[in-house]
Amino acid sequence: MAQDWARAFYNSTAWHRCRETYKQSVFGLCERCQQPGDEVHHKTYLTLQNINDPEITLGWDNLELLCHECHTREHKSKYDPLRDDVMFDANGDLVRRG
């Protein structure tokens, strides 16, 4: 859910138009897994400092269409204690996956 300070932006006509035309430009497919996409994600997360910067908020270089699963994975991974790039070896030591 959007932060209170971002609600006006996400409800704006400019965002709705940008979001819909961006979705069409990538044929409605998640740019990570190619399943039907439904979330237009900002690669650089919106903050109080950049919410009024149209290059960040509306620039297509900062947008990515994601399905619900990929979008959830993107936002939850920063809080997830599990990582995909490491594992425990036979001795129980934490090592990078090869």
Side-chain angles (χ1 to χ4, degrees):
M1 193 75 197
Q3 299 287 330
D4 288 339
W5 50 263
R7 249 178 253 279
F9 167 74
Y10 283 117
N11 289 324
S12 72
T13 300
W15 172 243
H16 287 270
R17 285 182 182 160
C18 179
R19 182 185 66 206
E20 290 309 310
T21 55
Y22 185 80
K23 284 170 75 171
Q24 290 174 10
S25 78
V26 295
F27 307 103
L29 297 176
C30 176
E31 294 181 72
R32 296 189 187 177
C33 72
Q34 301 303 303
Q35 296 301 309
D38 52 5
E39 307 275 351
V40 177
H41 168 71
H42 287 93
K43 296 175 193 175
T44 298
Y45 293 178
L46 299 187
T47 66
L48 279 169
Q49 292 74 33
N50 67 23
I51 190 74
N52 294 312
D53 182 347
E55 291 297 317
I56 300 293
T57 58
L58 301 172
W60 283 17
D61 288 341
N62 190 41
L63 301 178
E64 180 179 29
L65 183 62
L66 301 177
C67 66
H68 181 72
E69 269 188 45
C70 288
H71 193 245
T72 299
R73 194 173 305 121
E74 170 69 28
H75 284 279
K76 300 291 183 194
S77 65
K78 64 183 176 182
Y79 303 112
D80 192 348
L82 301 178
R83 293 176 39 181
D84 293 331
D85 63 328
V86 294
M87 61 183 251
F88 290 102
D89 67 10
N91 296 323
D93 296 319
L94 189 63
V95 297
R96 290 207 180 275
R97 288 188 188 267

